[in-house]
Amino acid sequence: MALKPLGGLVPMAHVEDVQRSIEFYRQIGFEVGNTLEMGGRLQWAWVKSGSAHLMLTRSARPMNPDAQDVLFYLYAPDVAAYRKELAARGVKVSALSYPEYAVAGEFGMSDPDGYCLLVGQGD
């Protein structure tokens, strides 16, 4: 008997400071869906933007951007306009590049914990 398809997949990233990460992700268009606080400190948050979802959880160890083997790929309806808006908000973004797999353009940025976010053209 075949397994039924899953309803979704949401990555969970370990971060140094959940509130700081929330503020970064708000700047790039995410909103907070839910949070968990323990001992007066945010421990976990779920953020979303359209159909893009991400969970953030407080790390028990120092963050090491060089040891993170995951990147987040986001899709924007207009990559150039989204990049321009983020730059105007003060988000450090890379130049637009046009690799073979992203003919409408692609750019990158890093979140406060060093996670790489690449943005390409969505439908």
Side-chain angles (χ1 to χ4, degrees):
M1 184 167 132
L3 290 174
K4 292 186 180 184
L6 296 171
L9 172 71
V10 180
M12 184 182 316
H14 285 91
V15 299
E16 182 179 323
D17 182 326
V18 175
Q19 185 61 51
R20 179 183 71 176
S21 293
I22 286 172
E23 294 309 317
F24 171 81
Y25 283 94
R26 278 186 175 144
Q27 232 183 326
I28 67 168
F30 283 73
E31 61 185 46
V32 177
N34 205 352
T35 60
L36 174 66
E37 186 176 310
M38 291 172 51
R41 187 167 183 187
L42 277 176
Q43 300 295 314
W44 173 88
W46 167 58
V47 296
K48 62 181 181 168
S49 178
S51 61
H53 299 260
L54 176 63
M55 288 188 276
L56 306 163
T57 188
R58 189 166 133 339
S59 179
R61 64 188 190 297
M63 298 304 299
N64 179 357
D66 293 331
Q68 297 171 1
D69 294 329
V70 64
L71 65 85
F72 301 112
Y73 204 93
L74 295 85
Y75 294 95
D78 184 335
V79 174
Y82 184 57
R83 183 191 172 282
K84 184 177 179 181
E85 175 63 28
L86 295 183
R89 292 180 179 199
V91 176
K92 186 177 176 181
V93 294
S94 72
L96 272 175
S97 65
Y98 297 89
E100 187 176 306
Y101 60 85
V103 295
E106 177 183 80
F107 70 93
M109 61 187 138
S110 294
D111 80 358
D113 292 286
Y115 286 104
C116 175
L117 288 80
L118 292 177
V119 181
Q121 189 82 21
D123 294 336

